[in-house]
Amino acid sequence: MYETSDLAIAAYLMLHDFKLVDAGRLPTGKFRFVFEDPEQKAKSKAVEFISSDCSKFDTHIKNLKKLLY
């Protein structure tokens, strides 16, 4: 299993066909996403996300939201 609290990484993993097995919020308010990861590849995909266009897109979304709030 692979677990992340990052919404963008979770979406990226889903884009790459990782199976989401649980999702929710922790008492702290943070997100929690759990994926099946039988081949132990999710962590490397999460690192791959950082240099992807998806990460750039996510950064721009966050910046635009900051302008509005």
Side-chain angles (χ1 to χ4, degrees), residues 25-68:
R25 282 194 167 211
L26 300 173
T28 61
K30 289 181 79 171
F31 297 127
R32 178 178 177 267
F33 303 98
V34 181
F35 291 88
E36 284 185 1
D37 189 18
E39 297 177 20
Q40 304 288 304
K41 293 184 177 182
K43 186 174 181 178
S44 64
K45 277 290 177 193
V47 172
E48 177 183 293
F49 166 77
I50 295 168
S51 61
S52 71
D53 284 340
C54 293
S55 177
K56 293 175 191 173
F57 177 81
D58 182 57
T59 299
H60 290 306
I61 292 290
K62 288 176 182 174
N63 289 335
L64 288 168
K65 285 172 80 174
K66 286 177 188 176
L67 286 173
L68 298 173

